[in-house]
Amino acid sequence: MSVSIAGSGAAPCRFAHYFVICGIDTETGLEPDDLAGESFEQSPFKRTFKSKVLAHFPENTEWNPFDHDAVNMLCMPRGLSFRTEADSREPQFHSFLITREDGSHTYGFVHTFHERVRSGQIRSAMQTLQQMHHAECTSSSSSSMDSLSSGLDEADAPPTRPYDAEHDALYVSKALCLITPLPFLHATRRFLSQLHRAIAGPQPPPLPMESYVHNLLYEVPLPLPGRSLKFHGVYEPIVCQRPGPDELPLAGFPLGVAFQLLGVENLVQVFTCALLEMQILLYSRDYQHLVTVAEGITTLLFPFQWQHVYLPILPASLRHFLDAPVPYLMGLQNKEGPNHSILELPQEANLCFVDCDNHCIKLPEDFPQFPNKAELIQELTEVLQSFGVSPQGCTPTSPAPGPGPVHLKRLALQELVEDGRNGNLGGEALAVLERLQALARRTGVTVETLGRGGHEGHTPGGEEELRDAKLSVQLREVFASRFTTMFSDYEAFIIHSAWDMESWLNNREQVHNFDKASFLSDQPEPHLSFLSHFIETQMFTTFIDNKIMSQWEDKEPLLCVFDGRVARHRLYNIRAPSLRSSQYHRCSNLREAAQVIEQRLLKIDHTAVHPHLLDMKIGQGRYEQGFFPVLQADVLATGPTNSKWSSRTATAQRRKDSHKHFEHLGLDNDQKEKCTQETRGRSLRQMQVRLSDLSSAVIAQTNSKFVEGLLKECRIKTKRMLVEKMGLEVLDLGHREVSLTGLEENTLIASLCDLLERVWSHGLQVKQGKSALWAHLLHYQESEEKAESQATSPVSNGPERRRSELGGAMALLDVSLTQDMRHIQNLSEIKTDVGRARAFIRLSLEKKLLSQHLKQLLSDQNLTKKLYKPYAFLRCEEEKEQFLFHLLSLNAVDYFCFTSVFNSIMISYRAIIVPIKTLTNAMTTCNPWVCVSGELGDSGVMQTPKNILEMTFDCQNLGKLSTVQLGHDNSGLLAKWLVDYVMVRNEITGHTYRFPCGRWLGKGIDDGSLERILIGELVAPCGEEEAGRPCQTPPLLCSPTQTLRIGITALTGHGNKPNSAQIQEVIGEAVNSIVKHFHKCEKERGSLTVLLCGESGLVCVLEQFFYHGFRSTRLFQKNAFIWDFVEKAMAYLDSADQMGDLQGAPKPLGLTCETFCRYVNAINNTPRSIGKDGKFQLLVCLGARDRLLPQWIPLLVECPLIARMYEENALLRDRATVGALIDILQTLHDFPITLEPSFVKGIDL
């Protein structure tokens, strides 16, 4: 649901998107948070209880949909907290971030206070919980609870005496939150604080709360770039500003606080960890400290951006995300006191642990230092000291309280004048201002200078904001100056490998977009240790990609600012390219940057409309001291329709958004992944530059560490791939999502390809081509072909002999390293060696032969020694075996990484039709045909020679196979054909699909079908130990087997007839499977065709329902089918309609009869020769697609023919059961069911 507000184009330009209230839901009561990992032995005043979003305004916005779970979880990360009169109840403030799918951030600012509990049930529940806790503690002889709580802060301490619900007041936390598109920390903090003051004070606020919230949501715009804006809270004006397009981006969190918390040296070290994309865990009791440090670190990365997991506040229920084997920057609240050693951190080898409260950090081993670290720390220290901030770690002081009422009176006339100047007054207010100005002229008083205190933009609390802004911008300028100096010549080393964007995207898999070796050779020797690591990170890769894309698209905003600074640096600091100097250059524009901020904050450019009375109901939300009122949702749902800011800000915001997301315009998802999400491998060329200056011992030590690093990265990547893939199975079982990063399979495999390229590039004797792996493969292929040509014995025909031995089974696929190389070499769509190497990796991974192929490649030790130096990774036997073992673990899951990526290639398929060999069923005189369909298309109808059961055909990649259409023309004397199943194999990937049939094809037998649609199941390739076993990852459904089909058509008279309860159960499961299908993300969904027509699919279970009690057996006649009943019911309804029997029926019933008859006639009139069961299957599928099944079933139930064709106890004659079936089928109306073209071909509706 989206809300219509003034100027839809300007809607994203609003200062705030949402106002949210979180707290306790008195209707649901106390709900313990089971995911918080807390013990029930704790006092109820220290336990975590679930909070709820009580209200949010507006209901939703199309540009930023409201996320209930995320906002609630981050507004109250530890849930609800309870206090008594004896406890401290000081309001708390913290911030949070929500990252969108496109990588942009939405900011939340939360003011938490404690409100008295008025619910008697909740007070009694808390008293009961504490009495139980007290009894448990007194009965236990253990004193563990005392030691556990020794480190907790005062706010979390339990009451000094037992809580009494009758005499003691109970308070519970409540949160007021603002969701904004930009980090206006000072402005939002002051606005929320004023809202709280308005309800906490003895006097009611001047206006209802709705007026202030409505004003901020709909009448206060974002400041224009380079401008400042003043708006009004409950008591005081508030000022905010935005940097201009040539300045550093907006950073609303005070950097000075981050430096105070950690100290200069520690913050520089943590900043270096962020640049090298290590795991960083922030630890503090204060949520705001976590966000301030995290935002401070990421802000200093300019012009680079953090590309990995970013959670400044990690809620207690999501603590298991610390297990993510990826780079992350997370913040964890300190609940353990000063002893954080009891934290069970899963990975500490590459972890930077930051204790914000104790001003200390723990760094990973072998940590490279930032270039000119000592000089950088000295310059930062001088900047901090100039603002009176200690460079050593200390606890920041809380902000000073706002000014008193005397100061507010001095500002009143000034604000009135500014409102008149900005056009915010009209009618009586404007007349009052004119009278005041006339009075001032007569008395000689200058109104414009009255009460200004010497500064036009002076507002309460403005000094603190101005100081923080000036300090932050100067600290950021120091870091930006360092990057400008270090990368002033980066453009000279970019490799432009394409003339147009399309060509560049098509060859994006090449990793050489930046000449790393030449760049490093131009850097000072002390900087190489850091830079050799940094240029391999994702953030640097993305930065270079954005620069290359700027040839064809508008520049990304951060890149524009940085390039402008680089141009100015070149203008004033000319140096020769060969000059490798490590001299430190101080930042020269600190004063100018601070002056720009000061002028903008002291001179207000625009003033927003004042809060005013709204057209709202009287008496609702009346003032009660200490209680936040229930706001009227109707007045806060929409904004005004005549806002003058709409036209003034819409254009600027659209321009901003187009720049912000330019890298995604016109590109599909796969291209975006290739552009922005591939992690590059480490470069080896710069290592060789440094090795020449080192001793042999240092060389050996360096290479040993490098080999260990590659092995460790292989282990991490394979583990990530397994967790990501297996996580999909966990989702199928109904569990919560297990992946935080949201990285897709294609990105993970591309990262694995980069790793293998770096492994094969390590220690090369002589580089040959851009892909070391493909060069090695070519050498191996050449040696194998030479050995084959010199061999005297003929090539073995093992697979051909196995074909005759296996009879109807499919012949073994020739599996070898050189054969897979030939497959890749025959693909004309791949033009580069890097692309061929990646295609080979993807193909081997899909065939579960990657480890086997690479082991075979490395088995030629003479070739390996010829190509690689002694210290190379591939010549370290122990590490190489572990490396191959990690790759072997990927065989535990199934990948379709080759099939899904190379969509347009031609692939050879082999199909075999297996009849049931009884009597003459294997022979037929008719002309069979087959059509194979998959996710990417179909092969078209292909005629097969008579009595030839095996065929091969080439067609464009079909993707994962789903259905096979099998039929014949009914010619000749032996036109009846009993088919057991059909097997189809992809001759490149080896994927084999089994399509069960178990039915006759022929007129006058079975249901008279000459054509059947078979549903496929993926099986293991022939020749494996468990050949024919269905794959378990992912679990795939299959079409009904022969036994099941025969049992359905002859249920009566058999002992295996399912009872009514079983039939109703499987119907519910079938519908539930379809519902689950649509609740998964699109790329995680399986085949909908399987859920509709496969075993236990919707068609199958409805057949069981209709066959229950069906009199199918006829004496001296052919057996009846469900379709016979459907046709007779259609004939009755059609005749009743023509005779006028339905004219008196309600109009919807008449339309339903007409629709039912039209669908049945369309199926009967199709030129396809499908049988009666196939027609029923088609009717069910069409009815599910067009949401007509629940309307058709009552027609069949009311038909008089049901008494003759169904027994008395049939499910179809049970009104209650039919009603339940209709209710279940109606749940499918919420989902867009689509059918494969093979189903609806020839149906004219």
Side-chain angles (χ1 to χ4, degrees):
M1 174 181 178
S2 60
V3 180
S4 175
I5 65 171
S8 60
C13 297
R14 297 188 330 209
F15 177 88
H17 289 172
Y18 293 100
F19 177 75
V20 187
I21 305 172
C22 294
I24 188 171
D25 188 347
T26 56
E27 295 183 359
T28 58
L30 295 178
E31 295 184 74
D33 191 350
D34 299 331
L35 298 177
E38 297 175 334
S39 171
F40 283 96
E41 296 178 355
Q42 291 180 316
S43 167
F45 284 87
K46 294 186 294 182
R47 296 179 193 168
T48 299
F49 297 93
K50 291 182 180 180
S51 61
K52 297 288 181 63
V53 175
L54 303 181
H56 66 280
F57 309 100
E59 183 68 21
N60 208 354
T61 58
E62 59 182 357
W63 62 90
N64 183 16
F66 187 77
D67 190 336
H68 283 79
D69 294 335
V71 172
N72 178 54
M73 193 178 297
L74 293 172
C75 278
M76 292 186 160
R78 289 196 62 188
L80 299 170
S81 63
F82 288 88
R83 301 285 186 269
T84 64
E85 289 281 3
D87 299 325
S88 172
R89 301 189 303 277
E90 287 296 323
Q92 302 293 326
F93 177 85
H94 77 272
S95 315
F96 63 83
L97 294 90
I98 297 178
T99 303
R100 301 178 184 173
E101 293 182 357
D102 60 3
S104 61
H105 296 311
T106 297
Y107 297 85
F109 302 94
V110 185
H111 182 93
T112 305
F113 63 97
H114 285 81
E115 191 175 71
R116 186 166 182 168
V117 178
R118 291 189 279 194
S119 171
Q121 293 181 347
I122 294 177
R123 294 199 303 267
S124 299
M126 283 298 295
Q127 180 177 352
T128 303
L129 288 174
Q130 191 177 12
Q131 289 173 350
M132 295 171 59
H133 168 71
H134 181 71
E136 184 74 20
C137 292
T138 54
S139 63
S140 174
S141 59
S142 174
S143 60
S144 59
M145 290 300 298
D146 296 332
S147 60
L148 179 64
S149 60
S150 61
L152 298 176
D153 53 30
E154 267 191 346
D156 287 332
T160 56
R161 62 182 180 84
Y163 167 70
D164 186 353
E166 295 294 333
H167 302 92
D168 297 337
L170 181 66
Y171 297 86
V172 65
S173 56
K174 176 173 281 190
L176 306 179
C177 173
L178 281 174
I179 308 293
T180 65
L182 294 176
F184 295 116
L185 181 139
H186 284 280
T188 53
R189 184 172 192 167
R190 292 174 58 196
F191 180 83
L192 293 173
S193 176
Q194 292 183 43
L195 286 185
H196 181 227
R197 284 166 50 194
I199 64 168
Q203 298 296 326
L207 295 172
M209 283 296 178
E210 288 85 348
S211 297
Y212 303 106
V213 175
H214 182 276
N215 175 254
L216 188 69
L217 287 178
Y218 301 109
E219 297 174 331
V220 177
L222 282 177
L224 294 176
R227 302 294 181 90
S228 57
L229 171 72
K230 183 174 73 174
F231 63 94
H232 294 78
V234 182
Y235 302 110
E236 306 159 4
I238 301 171
V239 175
C240 59
Q241 59 89 26
R242 284 177 69 185
D246 296 330
E247 302 175 50
L248 293 176
L250 177 65
F253 295 84
L255 264 178
V257 175
F259 276 86
Q260 284 180 282
L261 286 169
L262 299 185
V264 178
E265 184 171 1
N266 285 343
L267 192 138
V268 171
Q269 295 287 63
V270 177
F271 167 74
T272 308
C273 288
L275 286 172
L276 299 178
E277 297 182 337
M278 298 181 177
Q279 293 178 331
I280 303 175
L281 180 61
L282 309 178
Y283 196 60
S284 174
R285 302 187 186 199
D286 192 328
Y287 289 122
Q288 186 57 25
H289 288 172
L290 295 175
V291 180
T292 300
V293 173
E295 278 292 284
I297 293 172
T298 55
T299 297
L300 295 176
L301 295 177
F302 169 87
F304 309 103
Q305 294 175 287
W306 181 258
Q307 302 291 321
H308 301 281
V309 179
Y310 184 56
L311 282 175
I313 295 179
L314 184 66
S317 58
L318 298 181
R319 187 167 174 175
H320 60 280
F321 280 138
L322 289 172
D323 295 335
V326 294
Y328 59 69
L329 176 52
M330 297 186 190
L332 184 65
Q333 191 197 30
N334 178 3
K335 298 189 295 182
E336 317 299 343
N339 182 20
H340 54 72
S341 60
I342 61 177
L343 277 176
E344 297 181 0
L345 298 176
Q347 298 185 28
E348 297 189 69
N350 196 37
L351 179 70
C352 174
F353 185 84
V354 183
D355 189 343
C356 301
D357 298 334
N358 296 312
H359 327 297
C360 63
I361 62 175
K362 291 184 178 180
L363 295 173
E365 299 179 3
D366 304 323
F367 179 72
Q369 300 298 322
F370 190 77
N372 298 112
K373 172 187 169 185
E375 293 87 346
L376 175 63
I377 291 176
Q378 179 61 34
E379 186 175 10
L380 295 171
T381 299
E382 295 176 4
V383 173
L384 291 169
Q385 290 176 343
S386 66
F387 285 85
V389 178
S390 172
Q392 306 299 325
C394 61
T395 303
T397 57
S398 58
V406 177
H407 181 69
L408 296 179
K409 293 179 180 179
R410 298 206 319 265
L411 295 175
L413 189 55
Q414 172 205 350
E415 296 170 12
L416 194 60
V417 173
E418 291 177 356
D419 288 338
R421 182 187 304 116
N422 287 281
N424 290 329
L425 297 180
E428 296 181 1
L430 186 58
V432 171
L433 177 60
E434 292 174 351
R435 289 198 296 271
L436 286 174
Q437 290 174 330
L439 179 62
R441 285 193 294 270
R442 290 197 300 270
T443 58
V445 177
T446 304
V447 177
E448 281 74 8
T449 60
L450 182 61
R452 291 191 182 182
H455 296 293
E456 180 183 356
H458 177 79
T459 58
E463 295 86 352
E464 176 199 354
E465 180 178 2
L466 177 60
R467 174 183 174 276
D468 288 344
K470 292 170 64 176
L471 175 57
S472 295
V473 74
Q474 290 197 5
L475 293 171
R476 295 174 65 198
E477 287 289 350
V478 172
F479 283 90
S481 175
R482 292 303 308 132
F483 284 124
T484 303
T485 303
M486 293 164 58
F487 296 98
S488 58
D489 298 324
Y490 82 97
E491 293 182 67
F493 302 100
I494 294 178
I495 301 174
H496 298 280
S497 57
W499 294 103
D500 55 76
M501 183 172 61
E502 182 179 359
S503 301
W504 183 76
L505 291 175
N506 291 335
N507 296 290
R508 183 61 190 86
E509 293 181 346
Q510 299 181 12
V511 298
H512 303 288
N513 288 328
F514 189 77
D515 191 348
K516 300 172 183 177
S518 299
F519 173 79
L520 290 172
S521 66
D522 195 40
Q523 303 305 312
E525 180 67 23
H527 297 180
L528 292 179
S529 176
F530 169 81
L531 290 176
S532 61
H533 288 78
F534 176 67
I535 63 175
E536 304 296 340
T537 60
Q538 179 68 46
M539 67 175 69
F540 184 79
T541 300
T542 302
F543 174 78
I544 298 300
D545 288 346
N546 289 338
K547 181 62 179 178
I548 295 175
M549 289 287 291
S550 67
Q551 300 176 87
W552 309 292
E553 298 283 355
D554 293 338
K555 278 187 180 181
E556 199 268 343
L558 294 181
L559 186 60
C560 289
V561 178
F562 184 71
D563 282 350
R565 290 168 176 260
V566 167
R568 290 192 294 272
H569 181 271
R570 292 175 181 172
L571 183 63
Y572 297 108
N573 299 276
I574 301 176
R575 71 178 181 92
S578 60
L579 181 60
R580 302 173 62 199
S581 173
S582 59
Q583 182 181 358
Y584 185 83
H585 298 274
R586 284 177 167 264
C587 182
S588 59
N589 64 329
L590 295 180
R591 181 177 299 178
E592 293 79 0
Q595 287 176 349
V596 172
I597 297 290
E598 183 174 12
Q599 292 174 2
R600 189 180 300 131
L601 285 175
L602 294 182
K603 184 177 180 181
I604 306 303
D605 295 302
H606 302 289
T607 302
V609 177
H610 281 249
H612 52 83
L613 282 174
L614 303 173
D615 184 11
M616 53 188 291
K617 298 177 183 179
I618 305 300
Q620 292 189 8
R622 69 180 187 277
Y623 171 76
E624 292 184 72
Q625 184 177 0
F627 295 94
F628 196 84
V630 178
L631 303 181
Q632 296 186 29
D634 54 343
V635 300
L636 296 178
T638 58
T641 59
N642 58 349
S643 173
K644 68 172 187 173
W645 293 98
S646 299
S647 59
R648 296 176 62 180
T649 56
T651 303
Q653 180 67 16
R654 284 195 296 268
R655 187 184 306 118
K656 167 185 173 293
D657 290 341
S658 65
H659 284 295
K660 184 173 184 179
H661 308 295
F662 79 94
E663 66 269 39
H664 303 315
L665 295 179
L667 305 179
D668 58 26
N669 291 333
D670 292 337
Q671 291 171 329
K672 285 187 287 185
E673 290 172 358
K674 291 179 181 179
C675 294
T676 60
Q677 293 186 346
E678 290 186 3
T679 305
R680 297 306 188 274
R682 297 176 182 172
S683 174
L684 274 296
R685 288 169 289 186
Q686 75 273 15
M687 295 295 296
Q688 295 177 359
V689 173
R690 299 195 61 197
L691 289 177
S692 59
D693 301 328
L694 300 176
S695 62
S696 58
V698 175
I699 291 175
Q701 184 181 7
T702 301
N703 280 282
S704 175
K705 292 179 180 179
F706 197 75
V707 168
E708 292 174 1
L710 285 173
L711 183 61
K712 178 182 177 180
E713 188 172 356
C714 176
R715 175 178 58 83
I716 292 175
K717 288 186 183 299
T718 52
K719 179 181 178 181
R720 287 177 59 192
M721 295 174 68
L722 288 171
V723 170
E724 181 80 12
K725 195 69 176 178
M726 291 180 175
L728 302 182
E729 295 182 354
V730 176
L731 290 175
D732 289 334
L733 297 176
H735 295 277
R736 298 182 59 187
E737 291 188 10
V738 297
S739 175
L740 170 69
T741 65
L743 293 177
E744 297 178 353
E745 178 181 304
N746 190 49
T747 304
L748 294 173
I749 295 173
S751 178
L752 176 66
C753 294
D754 286 329
L755 171 64
L756 295 180
E757 280 289 359
R758 284 181 275 128
V759 168
W760 256 259
S761 298
H762 183 226
L764 274 173
Q765 295 279 8
V766 178
K767 183 179 178 181
Q768 299 178 3
K770 291 187 176 182
S771 173
L773 174 59
W774 189 249
H776 194 169
L777 288 168
L778 291 177
H779 282 291
Y780 178 83
Q781 183 184 35
E782 182 181 358
S783 63
E784 287 293 303
E785 291 176 350
K786 185 180 297 184
E788 289 179 3
S789 62
Q790 296 175 354
T792 56
S793 60
V795 179
S796 173
N797 292 323
E800 295 297 327
R801 291 197 297 268
R802 283 290 293 272
R803 176 183 305 175
S804 59
E805 294 170 2
L806 295 175
M810 190 167 291
L812 286 176
L813 185 66
D814 184 14
V815 176
S816 69
L817 172 61
T818 54
Q819 180 62 33
D820 284 343
M821 285 190 64
R822 294 189 190 101
H823 286 316
I824 301 302
Q825 290 168 327
N826 292 334
L827 300 179
S828 59
E829 293 82 359
I830 304 176
K831 307 295 183 182
T832 64
D833 288 348
V834 174
R836 295 185 185 96
R838 292 188 173 228
F840 174 81
I841 295 171
R842 289 178 179 272
L843 177 59
S844 301
L845 187 61
E846 183 165 334
K847 298 178 72 171
K848 300 187 178 183
L849 295 173
L850 180 59
S851 179
Q852 177 180 328
H853 279 347
L854 296 182
K855 184 176 182 179
Q856 182 180 353
L857 175 65
L858 298 173
S859 63
D860 190 342
Q861 297 185 1
N862 293 330
L863 178 61
T864 305
K865 291 180 180 179
K866 177 182 177 182
L867 297 177
Y868 291 93
K869 297 178 181 178
Y871 62 81
F873 180 91
L874 298 179
R875 294 187 63 180
C876 300
E877 293 299 324
E878 183 178 351
E879 286 78 6
K880 182 179 66 176
E881 290 299 322
Q882 295 182 47
F883 166 75
L884 294 174
F885 176 78
H886 290 314
L887 295 180
L888 182 63
S889 66
L890 296 177
N891 290 1
V893 293
D894 296 330
Y895 286 101
F896 291 86
C897 49
F898 181 85
T899 304
S900 60
V901 170
F902 301 99
N903 297 336
S904 60
I905 63 174
M906 297 298 294
I907 291 183
S908 178
Y909 293 90
R910 181 180 297 271
I912 180 171
I913 303 171
V914 181
I916 297 179
K917 296 186 177 181
T918 59
L919 301 178
T920 59
N921 299 334
M923 303 296 294
T924 179
T925 58
C926 58
N927 297 303
W929 59 266
V930 66
C931 177
V932 182
S933 300
E935 293 179 338
L936 303 178
D938 62 73
S939 63
V941 174
M942 299 176 292
Q943 299 291 336
T944 62
K946 294 179 181 179
N947 299 318
I948 300 298
L949 302 180
E950 187 170 358
M951 61 178 294
T952 60
F953 60 93
D954 295 333
C955 68
Q956 189 168 312
N957 185 6
L958 301 177
K960 297 179 184 178
L961 303 186
S962 56
T963 62
V964 162
Q965 293 174 260
L966 180 66
H968 62 74
D969 61 357
N970 202 42
S971 61
L973 296 177
L974 299 176
K976 300 175 182 179
W977 199 17
L978 181 57
V979 177
D980 190 2
Y981 60 88
V982 177
M983 300 283 287
V984 180
R985 183 175 67 197
N986 184 319
E987 293 293 278
I988 294 182
T989 66
H991 283 310
T992 305
Y993 296 82
R994 189 176 188 270
F995 299 85
C997 179
R999 302 290 295 273
W1000 285 94
L1001 282 84
K1003 291 293 185 180
I1005 192 170
D1006 206 333
D1007 64 344
S1009 177
L1010 296 181
E1011 170 189 341
R1012 297 198 183 278
I1013 299 178
L1014 311 180
I1015 312 301
E1017 60 178 346
L1018 180 65
V1019 297
C1022 294
E1024 294 187 3
E1025 293 182 359
E1026 301 180 7
R1029 176 181 57 85
C1031 291
Q1032 298 299 316
T1033 307
L1036 296 175
L1037 299 175
C1038 59
S1039 60
T1041 60
Q1042 175 190 0
T1043 304
L1044 178 61
R1045 281 292 187 180
I1046 295 176
I1048 289 175
T1049 58
L1051 279 176
T1052 55
H1054 284 68
N1056 60 347
K1057 180 174 63 176
N1059 57 43
S1060 59
Q1062 293 173 336
I1063 293 175
Q1064 294 180 64
E1065 181 181 357
V1066 295
I1067 290 176
E1069 292 176 354
V1071 174
N1072 191 37
S1073 298
I1074 298 175
V1075 173
K1076 286 182 178 180
H1077 169 88
F1078 285 101
H1079 277 89
K1080 298 178 183 178
C1081 66
E1082 189 171 353
K1083 292 191 176 181
E1084 294 176 3
R1085 297 174 182 174
S1087 172
L1088 182 59
T1089 302
V1090 172
L1091 300 179
L1092 289 174
C1093 305
E1095 182 179 8
S1096 300
L1098 183 64
V1099 173
C1100 177
V1101 297
L1102 286 181
E1103 279 185 348
Q1104 296 186 43
F1105 183 90
F1106 276 87
Y1107 271 118
H1108 185 269
F1110 184 64
R1111 297 182 175 130
S1112 59
T1113 305
R1114 299 289 185 269
L1115 188 62
F1116 306 113
Q1117 297 181 22
K1118 295 181 179 179
N1119 288 347
F1121 293 84
I1122 300 176
W1123 189 250
D1124 295 324
F1125 170 64
V1126 172
E1127 286 184 318
K1128 292 179 180 179
M1130 185 271 296
Y1132 167 78
L1133 293 172
D1134 190 28
S1135 62
D1137 188 19
Q1138 294 177 5
M1139 296 176 61
D1141 294 348
L1142 298 178
Q1143 291 181 0
K1147 186 175 182 179
L1149 180 60
L1151 292 176
T1152 301
C1153 292
E1154 179 185 351
T1155 304
F1156 177 75
C1157 296
R1158 179 162 54 90
Y1159 274 68
V1160 174
N1161 286 325
I1163 294 174
N1164 279 329
N1165 295 332
T1166 179
R1168 297 163 57 186
S1169 300
I1170 55 179
K1172 294 180 179 181
D1173 282 348
K1175 292 179 179 180
F1176 179 77
Q1177 172 181 275
L1178 189 55
L1179 182 67
V1180 172
C1181 292
L1182 291 173
R1185 183 194 68 179
D1186 299 336
R1187 301 176 175 86
L1188 295 173
L1189 278 180
Q1191 302 176 28
W1192 290 345
I1193 292 178
L1195 297 178
L1196 299 176
V1197 172
E1198 298 297 334
C1199 181
L1201 297 171
I1202 195 172
R1204 286 194 291 117
M1205 303 192 71
Y1206 280 88
E1207 299 174 357
E1208 187 69 27
N1209 63 342
L1211 289 176
L1212 199 59
R1213 299 183 66 177
D1214 186 340
R1215 299 286 181 139
T1217 304
V1218 171
L1221 174 63
I1222 293 174
D1223 292 339
I1224 293 176
L1225 294 177
Q1226 284 177 342
T1227 61
L1228 299 178
H1229 290 184
D1230 298 331
F1231 309 106
I1233 295 178
T1234 58
L1235 304 178
E1236 289 192 13
S1238 58
F1239 279 86
V1240 297
K1241 183 170 59 177
I1243 304 297
D1244 184 12
L1245 294 173

